[in-house]
PDB file of all heavy atoms in Angstrom:
ATOM      1  N   LYS V   1      20.138  21.980  -1.075  1.00  0.00           N
ATOM      2  CA  LYS V   1      19.727  21.479  -2.368  1.00  0.00           C
ATOM      3  C   LYS V   1      18.474  20.725  -2.263  1.00  0.00           C
ATOM      4  O   LYS V   1      18.301  19.809  -1.489  1.00  0.00           O
ATOM      5  CB  LYS V   1      20.868  20.556  -2.892  1.00  0.00           C
ATOM      6  CG  LYS V   1      20.612  20.042  -4.276  1.00  0.00           C
ATOM      7  CD  LYS V   1      21.834  19.249  -4.753  1.00  0.00           C
ATOM      8  CE  LYS V   1      21.585  18.646  -6.146  1.00  0.00           C
ATOM      9  NZ  LYS V   1      22.602  17.816  -6.538  1.00  0.00           N
ATOM     10  N   ALA V   2      17.506  21.137  -3.029  1.00  0.00           N
ATOM     11  CA  ALA V   2      16.141  20.481  -3.046  1.00  0.00           C
ATOM     12  C   ALA V   2      16.237  19.295  -4.001  1.00  0.00           C
ATOM     13  O   ALA V   2      16.554  19.449  -5.149  1.00  0.00           O
ATOM     14  CB  ALA V   2      15.023  21.425  -3.408  1.00  0.00           C
ATOM     15  N   ILE V   3      15.860  18.108  -3.560  1.00  0.00           N
ATOM     16  CA  ILE V   3      15.989  16.863  -4.364  1.00  0.00           C
ATOM     17  C   ILE V   3      14.691  16.113  -4.342  1.00  0.00           C
ATOM     18  O   ILE V   3      14.120  15.957  -3.301  1.00  0.00           O
ATOM     19  CB  ILE V   3      17.115  16.002  -3.831  1.00  0.00           C
ATOM     20  CG1 ILE V   3      18.452  16.761  -3.793  1.00  0.00           C
ATOM     21  CG2 ILE V   3      17.189  14.691  -4.598  1.00  0.00           C
ATOM     22  CD1 ILE V   3      19.504  16.063  -3.037  1.00  0.00           C
ATOM     23  N   GLU V   4      14.220  15.651  -5.509  1.00  0.00           N
ATOM     24  CA  GLU V   4      13.168  14.708  -5.576  1.00  0.00           C
ATOM     25  C   GLU V   4      13.773  13.340  -5.523  1.00  0.00           C
ATOM     26  O   GLU V   4      14.434  12.960  -6.530  1.00  0.00           O
ATOM     27  CB  GLU V   4      12.241  14.926  -6.810  1.00  0.00           C
ATOM     28  CG  GLU V   4      11.088  13.977  -6.784  1.00  0.00           C
ATOM     29  CD  GLU V   4      10.061  14.303  -7.883  1.00  0.00           C
ATOM     30  OE1 GLU V   4      10.081  15.491  -8.388  1.00  0.00           O
ATOM     31  OE2 GLU V   4       9.352  13.410  -8.331  1.00  0.00           O
ATOM     32  N   PRO V   5      13.579  12.513  -4.480  1.00  0.00           N
ATOM     33  CA  PRO V   5      14.298  11.234  -4.389  1.00  0.00           C
ATOM     34  C   PRO V   5      13.788  10.280  -5.471  1.00  0.00           C
ATOM     35  O   PRO V   5      12.630  10.269  -5.872  1.00  0.00           O
ATOM     36  CB  PRO V   5      13.948  10.785  -3.023  1.00  0.00           C
ATOM     37  CG  PRO V   5      12.696  11.430  -2.649  1.00  0.00           C
ATOM     38  CD  PRO V   5      12.662  12.774  -3.336  1.00  0.00           C
ATOM     39  N   GLU V   6      14.684   9.394  -5.856  1.00  0.00           N
ATOM     40  CA  GLU V   6      14.396   8.269  -6.732  1.00  0.00           C
ATOM     41  C   GLU V   6      13.401   7.433  -5.969  1.00  0.00           C
ATOM     42  O   GLU V   6      13.666   6.941  -4.896  1.00  0.00           O
ATOM     43  CB  GLU V   6      15.628   7.505  -7.132  1.00  0.00           C
ATOM     44  CG  GLU V   6      15.414   6.430  -8.155  1.00  0.00           C
ATOM     45  CD  GLU V   6      15.144   6.989  -9.519  1.00  0.00           C
ATOM     46  OE1 GLU V   6      15.703   8.007  -9.872  1.00  0.00           O
ATOM     47  OE2 GLU V   6      14.346   6.303 -10.221  1.00  0.00           O
ATOM     48  N   THR V   7      12.246   7.228  -6.567  1.00  0.00           N
ATOM     49  CA  THR V   7      11.126   6.463  -5.919  1.00  0.00           C
ATOM     50  C   THR V   7      10.530   5.444  -6.813  1.00  0.00           C
ATOM     51  O   THR V   7      10.289   5.710  -8.021  1.00  0.00           O
ATOM     52  CB  THR V   7      10.072   7.472  -5.426  1.00  0.00           C
ATOM     53  OG1 THR V   7      10.715   8.423  -4.566  1.00  0.00           O
ATOM     54  CG2 THR V   7       9.009   6.785  -4.655  1.00  0.00           C
ATOM     55  N   THR V   8      10.229   4.309  -6.259  1.00  0.00           N
ATOM     56  CA  THR V   8       9.554   3.203  -6.974  1.00  0.00           C
ATOM     57  C   THR V   8       8.275   2.898  -6.268  1.00  0.00           C
ATOM     58  O   THR V   8       8.287   2.737  -5.079  1.00  0.00           O
ATOM     59  CB  THR V   8      10.446   1.981  -7.049  1.00  0.00           C
ATOM     60  OG1 THR V   8      11.684   2.315  -7.621  1.00  0.00           O
ATOM     61  CG2 THR V   8       9.813   0.856  -7.846  1.00  0.00           C
ATOM     62  N   VAL V   9       7.187   2.764  -7.040  1.00  0.00           N
ATOM     63  CA  VAL V   9       5.922   2.364  -6.471  1.00  0.00           C
ATOM     64  C   VAL V   9       5.559   1.022  -7.061  1.00  0.00           C
ATOM     65  O   VAL V   9       5.439   0.862  -8.254  1.00  0.00           O
ATOM     66  CB  VAL V   9       4.778   3.377  -6.775  1.00  0.00           C
ATOM     67  CG1 VAL V   9       3.477   2.989  -6.208  1.00  0.00           C
ATOM     68  CG2 VAL V   9       5.214   4.770  -6.185  1.00  0.00           C
ATOM     69  N   LEU V  10       5.335  -0.041  -6.229  1.00  0.00           N
ATOM     70  CA  LEU V  10       4.977  -1.298  -6.661  1.00  0.00           C
ATOM     71  C   LEU V  10       3.530  -1.652  -6.099  1.00  0.00           C
ATOM     72  O   LEU V  10       3.346  -1.636  -4.897  1.00  0.00           O
ATOM     73  CB  LEU V  10       5.958  -2.392  -6.138  1.00  0.00           C
ATOM     74  CG  LEU V  10       7.448  -2.139  -6.503  1.00  0.00           C
ATOM     75  CD1 LEU V  10       8.318  -3.064  -5.708  1.00  0.00           C
ATOM     76  CD2 LEU V  10       7.617  -2.322  -8.019  1.00  0.00           C
ATOM     77  N   GLU V  11       2.648  -1.984  -7.056  1.00  0.00           N
ATOM     78  CA  GLU V  11       1.295  -2.296  -6.620  1.00  0.00           C
ATOM     79  C   GLU V  11       1.113  -3.771  -6.618  1.00  0.00           C
ATOM     80  O   GLU V  11       1.428  -4.448  -7.646  1.00  0.00           O
ATOM     81  CB  GLU V  11       0.276  -1.642  -7.582  1.00  0.00           C
ATOM     82  CG  GLU V  11      -1.110  -1.813  -7.161  1.00  0.00           C
ATOM     83  CD  GLU V  11      -2.105  -1.114  -8.032  1.00  0.00           C
ATOM     84  OE1 GLU V  11      -1.727  -0.298  -8.887  1.00  0.00           O
ATOM     85  OE2 GLU V  11      -3.308  -1.408  -7.924  1.00  0.00           O
ATOM     86  N   GLU V  12       0.700  -4.284  -5.484  1.00  0.00           N
ATOM     87  CA  GLU V  12       0.367  -5.721  -5.384  1.00  0.00           C
ATOM     88  C   GLU V  12      -1.193  -5.820  -5.151  1.00  0.00           C
ATOM     89  O   GLU V  12      -1.814  -4.794  -5.163  1.00  0.00           O
ATOM     90  CB  GLU V  12       1.138  -6.326  -4.236  1.00  0.00           C
ATOM     91  CG  GLU V  12       2.690  -6.314  -4.550  1.00  0.00           C
ATOM     92  CD  GLU V  12       3.558  -6.751  -3.421  1.00  0.00           C
ATOM     93  OE1 GLU V  12       3.006  -7.430  -2.497  1.00  0.00           O
ATOM     94  OE2 GLU V  12       4.692  -6.493  -3.416  1.00  0.00           O
ATOM     95  N   GLU V  13      -1.669  -6.966  -5.028  1.00  0.00           N
ATOM     96  CA  GLU V  13      -3.162  -7.126  -4.903  1.00  0.00           C
ATOM     97  C   GLU V  13      -3.824  -6.226  -3.900  1.00  0.00           C
ATOM     98  O   GLU V  13      -4.640  -5.387  -4.276  1.00  0.00           O
ATOM     99  CB  GLU V  13      -3.477  -8.628  -4.620  1.00  0.00           C
ATOM    100  CG  GLU V  13      -4.986  -8.877  -4.730  1.00  0.00           C
ATOM    101  CD  GLU V  13      -5.287 -10.333  -4.604  1.00  0.00           C
ATOM    102  OE1 GLU V  13      -4.494 -11.172  -5.102  1.00  0.00           O
ATOM    103  OE2 GLU V  13      -6.285 -10.678  -3.962  1.00  0.00           O
ATOM    104  N   LYS V  14      -3.435  -6.313  -2.648  1.00  0.00           N
ATOM    105  CA  LYS V  14      -4.085  -5.534  -1.603  1.00  0.00           C
ATOM    106  C   LYS V  14      -3.124  -4.490  -0.982  1.00  0.00           C
ATOM    107  O   LYS V  14      -3.607  -3.759  -0.082  1.00  0.00           O
ATOM    108  CB  LYS V  14      -4.558  -6.442  -0.519  1.00  0.00           C
ATOM    109  CG  LYS V  14      -5.719  -7.368  -0.963  1.00  0.00           C
ATOM    110  CD  LYS V  14      -6.221  -8.246   0.136  1.00  0.00           C
ATOM    111  CE  LYS V  14      -7.289  -9.160  -0.380  1.00  0.00           C
ATOM    112  NZ  LYS V  14      -7.727 -10.058   0.650  1.00  0.00           N
ATOM    113  N   ILE V  15      -1.876  -4.481  -1.411  1.00  0.00           N
ATOM    114  CA  ILE V  15      -0.921  -3.545  -0.772  1.00  0.00           C
ATOM    115  C   ILE V  15      -0.164  -2.781  -1.863  1.00  0.00           C
ATOM    116  O   ILE V  15      -0.152  -3.119  -3.038  1.00  0.00           O
ATOM    117  CB  ILE V  15       0.013  -4.235   0.160  1.00  0.00           C
ATOM    118  CG1 ILE V  15       1.006  -5.203  -0.633  1.00  0.00           C
ATOM    119  CG2 ILE V  15      -0.635  -4.959   1.287  1.00  0.00           C
ATOM    120  CD1 ILE V  15       2.129  -5.728   0.184  1.00  0.00           C
ATOM    121  N   LEU V  16       0.438  -1.754  -1.349  1.00  0.00           N
ATOM    122  CA  LEU V  16       1.250  -0.851  -2.228  1.00  0.00           C
ATOM    123  C   LEU V  16       2.586  -0.712  -1.531  1.00  0.00           C
ATOM    124  O   LEU V  16       2.629  -0.429  -0.316  1.00  0.00           O
ATOM    125  CB  LEU V  16       0.639   0.489  -2.388  1.00  0.00           C
ATOM    126  CG  LEU V  16       1.145   1.460  -3.383  1.00  0.00           C
ATOM    127  CD1 LEU V  16       0.822   0.996  -4.779  1.00  0.00           C
ATOM    128  CD2 LEU V  16       0.645   2.791  -3.111  1.00  0.00           C
ATOM    129  N   ARG V  17       3.709  -0.914  -2.192  1.00  0.00           N
ATOM    130  CA  ARG V  17       5.001  -0.722  -1.642  1.00  0.00           C
ATOM    131  C   ARG V  17       5.674   0.527  -2.315  1.00  0.00           C
ATOM    132  O   ARG V  17       5.718   0.636  -3.543  1.00  0.00           O
ATOM    133  CB  ARG V  17       5.943  -1.901  -1.941  1.00  0.00           C
ATOM    134  CG  ARG V  17       5.526  -3.186  -1.175  1.00  0.00           C
ATOM    135  CD  ARG V  17       6.551  -4.270  -1.446  1.00  0.00           C
ATOM    136  NE  ARG V  17       6.003  -5.496  -0.965  1.00  0.00           N
ATOM    137  CZ  ARG V  17       6.070  -5.950   0.266  1.00  0.00           C
ATOM    138  NH1 ARG V  17       6.689  -5.217   1.145  1.00  0.00           N
ATOM    139  NH2 ARG V  17       5.537  -7.161   0.658  1.00  0.00           N
ATOM    140  N   ILE V  18       6.162   1.399  -1.484  1.00  0.00           N
ATOM    141  CA  ILE V  18       6.836   2.598  -1.978  1.00  0.00           C
ATOM    142  C   ILE V  18       8.276   2.525  -1.436  1.00  0.00           C
ATOM    143  O   ILE V  18       8.529   2.397  -0.247  1.00  0.00           O
ATOM    144  CB  ILE V  18       6.148   3.873  -1.538  1.00  0.00           C
ATOM    145  CG1 ILE V  18       4.741   3.983  -2.093  1.00  0.00           C
ATOM    146  CG2 ILE V  18       6.972   5.117  -1.937  1.00  0.00           C
ATOM    147  CD1 ILE V  18       3.958   5.129  -1.546  1.00  0.00           C
ATOM    148  N   ARG V  19       9.259   2.559  -2.361  1.00  0.00           N
ATOM    149  CA  ARG V  19      10.694   2.578  -2.045  1.00  0.00           C
ATOM    150  C   ARG V  19      11.226   3.907  -2.465  1.00  0.00           C
ATOM    151  O   ARG V  19      11.176   4.243  -3.650  1.00  0.00           O
ATOM    152  CB  ARG V  19      11.390   1.451  -2.669  1.00  0.00           C
ATOM    153  CG  ARG V  19      11.005   0.132  -2.084  1.00  0.00           C
ATOM    154  CD  ARG V  19      11.916  -0.986  -2.569  1.00  0.00           C
ATOM    155  NE  ARG V  19      11.422  -2.231  -2.046  1.00  0.00           N
ATOM    156  CZ  ARG V  19      11.017  -3.236  -2.810  1.00  0.00           C
ATOM    157  NH1 ARG V  19      11.005  -3.168  -4.133  1.00  0.00           N
ATOM    158  NH2 ARG V  19      10.601  -4.365  -2.237  1.00  0.00           N
ATOM    159  N   SER V  20      11.855   4.608  -1.554  1.00  0.00           N
ATOM    160  CA  SER V  20      12.411   5.914  -1.842  1.00  0.00           C
ATOM    161  C   SER V  20      13.900   6.009  -1.378  1.00  0.00           C
ATOM    162  O   SER V  20      14.165   5.601  -0.219  1.00  0.00           O
ATOM    163  CB  SER V  20      11.589   7.024  -1.147  1.00  0.00           C
ATOM    164  OG  SER V  20      11.856   8.250  -1.657  1.00  0.00           O
ATOM    165  N   GLU V  21      14.801   6.433  -2.221  1.00  0.00           N
ATOM    166  CA  GLU V  21      16.149   6.495  -1.891  1.00  0.00           C
ATOM    167  C   GLU V  21      16.489   7.825  -1.208  1.00  0.00           C
ATOM    168  O   GLU V  21      16.317   8.910  -1.856  1.00  0.00           O
ATOM    169  CB  GLU V  21      17.027   6.318  -3.133  1.00  0.00           C
ATOM    170  CG  GLU V  21      16.837   4.938  -3.757  1.00  0.00           C
ATOM    171  CD  GLU V  21      17.706   4.701  -5.015  1.00  0.00           C
ATOM    172  OE1 GLU V  21      18.719   5.466  -5.212  1.00  0.00           O
ATOM    173  OE2 GLU V  21      17.340   3.836  -5.809  1.00  0.00           O
ATOM    174  N   LEU V  22      16.985   7.759   0.026  1.00  0.00           N
ATOM    175  CA  LEU V  22      17.323   8.978   0.764  1.00  0.00           C
ATOM    176  C   LEU V  22      18.751   8.786   1.333  1.00  0.00           C
ATOM    177  O   LEU V  22      18.930   8.717   2.524  1.00  0.00           O
ATOM    178  CB  LEU V  22      16.267   9.141   1.923  1.00  0.00           C
ATOM    179  CG  LEU V  22      14.803   9.194   1.533  1.00  0.00           C
ATOM    180  CD1 LEU V  22      13.910   9.076   2.703  1.00  0.00           C
ATOM    181  CD2 LEU V  22      14.547  10.464   0.778  1.00  0.00           C
ATOM    182  N   PRO V  23      19.749   8.836   0.454  1.00  0.00           N
ATOM    183  CA  PRO V  23      21.122   8.648   0.896  1.00  0.00           C
ATOM    184  C   PRO V  23      21.618   9.739   1.842  1.00  0.00           C
ATOM    185  O   PRO V  23      21.339  10.877   1.664  1.00  0.00           O
ATOM    186  CB  PRO V  23      21.909   8.656  -0.392  1.00  0.00           C
ATOM    187  CG  PRO V  23      21.110   9.412  -1.316  1.00  0.00           C
ATOM    188  CD  PRO V  23      19.629   9.171  -0.975  1.00  0.00           C
ATOM    189  N   GLY V  24      22.287   9.257   2.913  1.00  0.00           N
ATOM    190  CA  GLY V  24      22.858  10.232   3.889  1.00  0.00           C
ATOM    191  C   GLY V  24      21.902  10.783   4.917  1.00  0.00           C
ATOM    192  O   GLY V  24      22.305  11.589   5.715  1.00  0.00           O
ATOM    193  N   ILE V  25      20.617  10.417   4.842  1.00  0.00           N
ATOM    194  CA  ILE V  25      19.667  10.915   5.753  1.00  0.00           C
ATOM    195  C   ILE V  25      19.494  10.022   7.000  1.00  0.00           C
ATOM    196  O   ILE V  25      19.473   8.753   6.816  1.00  0.00           O
ATOM    197  CB  ILE V  25      18.279  11.059   5.074  1.00  0.00           C
ATOM    198  CG1 ILE V  25      18.371  12.077   3.956  1.00  0.00           C
ATOM    199  CG2 ILE V  25      17.226  11.428   6.033  1.00  0.00           C
ATOM    200  CD1 ILE V  25      18.564  13.493   4.364  1.00  0.00           C
ATOM    201  N   ALA V  26      19.394  10.532   8.172  1.00  0.00           N
ATOM    202  CA  ALA V  26      19.144   9.727   9.366  1.00  0.00           C
ATOM    203  C   ALA V  26      17.681   9.511   9.496  1.00  0.00           C
ATOM    204  O   ALA V  26      16.852  10.343   9.116  1.00  0.00           O
ATOM    205  CB  ALA V  26      19.636  10.527  10.607  1.00  0.00           C
ATOM    206  N   GLU V  27      17.302   8.322   9.985  1.00  0.00           N
ATOM    207  CA  GLU V  27      15.895   7.944  10.012  1.00  0.00           C
ATOM    208  C   GLU V  27      15.016   8.990  10.762  1.00  0.00           C
ATOM    209  O   GLU V  27      13.890   9.234  10.370  1.00  0.00           O
ATOM    210  CB  GLU V  27      15.714   6.573  10.662  1.00  0.00           C
ATOM    211  CG  GLU V  27      14.310   6.028  10.617  1.00  0.00           C
ATOM    212  CD  GLU V  27      14.151   4.601  11.050  1.00  0.00           C
ATOM    213  OE1 GLU V  27      15.181   4.013  11.426  1.00  0.00           O
ATOM    214  OE2 GLU V  27      13.061   4.085  10.968  1.00  0.00           O
ATOM    215  N   GLU V  28      15.582   9.566  11.816  1.00  0.00           N
ATOM    216  CA  GLU V  28      14.735  10.514  12.591  1.00  0.00           C
ATOM    217  C   GLU V  28      14.506  11.841  11.856  1.00  0.00           C
ATOM    218  O   GLU V  28      13.709  12.631  12.279  1.00  0.00           O
ATOM    219  CB  GLU V  28      15.388  10.779  13.989  1.00  0.00           C
ATOM    220  CG  GLU V  28      16.744  11.387  13.907  1.00  0.00           C
ATOM    221  CD  GLU V  28      17.876  10.295  13.891  1.00  0.00           C
ATOM    222  OE1 GLU V  28      17.632   9.076  13.766  1.00  0.00           O
ATOM    223  OE2 GLU V  28      19.055  10.714  13.936  1.00  0.00           O
ATOM    224  N   LYS V  29      15.167  12.018  10.708  1.00  0.00           N
ATOM    225  CA  LYS V  29      14.945  13.257   9.914  1.00  0.00           C
ATOM    226  C   LYS V  29      13.907  12.985   8.818  1.00  0.00           C
ATOM    227  O   LYS V  29      13.712  13.896   7.962  1.00  0.00           O
ATOM    228  CB  LYS V  29      16.287  13.627   9.277  1.00  0.00           C
ATOM    229  CG  LYS V  29      17.336  13.958  10.283  1.00  0.00           C
ATOM    230  CD  LYS V  29      17.046  15.227  10.997  1.00  0.00           C
ATOM    231  CE  LYS V  29      18.213  15.691  11.847  1.00  0.00           C
ATOM    232  NZ  LYS V  29      17.988  16.962  12.475  1.00  0.00           N
ATOM    233  N   ILE V  30      13.265  11.891   8.815  1.00  0.00           N
ATOM    234  CA  ILE V  30      12.287  11.538   7.769  1.00  0.00           C
ATOM    235  C   ILE V  30      10.851  11.760   8.309  1.00  0.00           C
ATOM    236  O   ILE V  30      10.561  11.379   9.460  1.00  0.00           O
ATOM    237  CB  ILE V  30      12.422  10.048   7.324  1.00  0.00           C
ATOM    238  CG1 ILE V  30      13.775   9.810   6.736  1.00  0.00           C
ATOM    239  CG2 ILE V  30      11.316   9.697   6.336  1.00  0.00           C
ATOM    240  CD1 ILE V  30      14.090   8.375   6.521  1.00  0.00           C
ATOM    241  N   ARG V  31      10.031  12.415   7.543  1.00  0.00           N
ATOM    242  CA  ARG V  31       8.665  12.595   7.865  1.00  0.00           C
ATOM    243  C   ARG V  31       7.786  12.151   6.782  1.00  0.00           C
ATOM    244  O   ARG V  31       8.032  12.344   5.623  1.00  0.00           O
ATOM    245  CB  ARG V  31       8.385  14.087   8.107  1.00  0.00           C
ATOM    246  CG  ARG V  31       7.013  14.309   8.767  1.00  0.00           C
ATOM    247  CD  ARG V  31       6.743  15.701   9.130  1.00  0.00           C
ATOM    248  NE  ARG V  31       5.906  16.330   8.000  1.00  0.00           N
ATOM    249  CZ  ARG V  31       5.900  17.548   7.711  1.00  0.00           C
ATOM    250  NH1 ARG V  31       6.599  18.438   8.317  1.00  0.00           N
ATOM    251  NH2 ARG V  31       5.066  17.926   6.746  1.00  0.00           N
ATOM    252  N   ILE V  32       6.683  11.393   7.146  1.00  0.00           N
ATOM    253  CA  ILE V  32       5.777  10.847   6.131  1.00  0.00           C
ATOM    254  C   ILE V  32       4.340  11.278   6.473  1.00  0.00           C
ATOM    255  O   ILE V  32       3.920  11.228   7.626  1.00  0.00           O
ATOM    256  CB  ILE V  32       5.810   9.287   6.194  1.00  0.00           C
ATOM    257  CG1 ILE V  32       7.189   8.765   5.940  1.00  0.00           C
ATOM    258  CG2 ILE V  32       4.787   8.705   5.202  1.00  0.00           C
ATOM    259  CD1 ILE V  32       7.462   7.400   6.456  1.00  0.00           C
ATOM    260  N   ASP V  33       3.778  11.909   5.468  1.00  0.00           N
ATOM    261  CA  ASP V  33       2.349  12.421   5.605  1.00  0.00           C
ATOM    262  C   ASP V  33       1.479  11.567   4.723  1.00  0.00           C
ATOM    263  O   ASP V  33       1.795  11.393   3.608  1.00  0.00           O
ATOM    264  CB  ASP V  33       2.220  13.890   5.255  1.00  0.00           C
ATOM    265  CG  ASP V  33       2.915  14.793   6.240  1.00  0.00           C
ATOM    266  OD1 ASP V  33       3.052  14.470   7.400  1.00  0.00           O
ATOM    267  OD2 ASP V  33       3.387  15.880   5.818  1.00  0.00           O
ATOM    268  N   LEU V  34       0.421  11.044   5.284  1.00  0.00           N
ATOM    269  CA  LEU V  34      -0.557  10.218   4.525  1.00  0.00           C
ATOM    270  C   LEU V  34      -1.938  10.799   4.720  1.00  0.00           C
ATOM    271  O   LEU V  34      -2.431  10.930   5.772  1.00  0.00           O
ATOM    272  CB  LEU V  34      -0.416   8.787   5.061  1.00  0.00           C
ATOM    273  CG  LEU V  34      -1.321   7.758   4.431  1.00  0.00           C
ATOM    274  CD1 LEU V  34      -1.051   7.682   2.895  1.00  0.00           C
ATOM    275  CD2 LEU V  34      -1.176   6.402   5.045  1.00  0.00           C
ATOM    276  N   ASP V  35      -2.500  11.167   3.590  1.00  0.00           N
ATOM    277  CA  ASP V  35      -3.890  11.712   3.611  1.00  0.00           C
ATOM    278  C   ASP V  35      -4.709  11.071   2.514  1.00  0.00           C
ATOM    279  O   ASP V  35      -4.640  11.475   1.334  1.00  0.00           O
ATOM    280  CB  ASP V  35      -3.838  13.254   3.424  1.00  0.00           C
ATOM    281  CG  ASP V  35      -5.220  13.923   3.495  1.00  0.00           C
ATOM    282  OD1 ASP V  35      -6.095  13.308   4.127  1.00  0.00           O
ATOM    283  OD2 ASP V  35      -5.384  14.992   2.937  1.00  0.00           O
TER     284      ASP V  35
END
């Protein structure tokens, strides 16, 4: 099942916080690409 996770983006002065819900996923199964 392809799922778009529930995600919140919070912008602060110099930083950005992204929170994404990935229930049931092991940390080693997560990949983050930043470009």
Side-chain angles (χ1 to χ4, degrees):
K1 185 177 177 184
I3 302 167
E4 184 171 335
E6 185 71 35
T7 302
T8 304
V9 179
L10 302 169
E11 185 177 349
E12 297 174 14
E13 189 173 321
K14 295 180 182 179
I15 66 169
L16 189 74
R17 292 183 192 275
I18 298 175
R19 290 190 184 116
S20 194
E21 296 181 22
L22 303 168
I25 297 292
E27 186 170 5
E28 61 270 7
K29 299 290 186 174
I30 299 170
R31 191 176 99 204
I32 301 157
D33 293 328
L34 180 60
D35 184 23

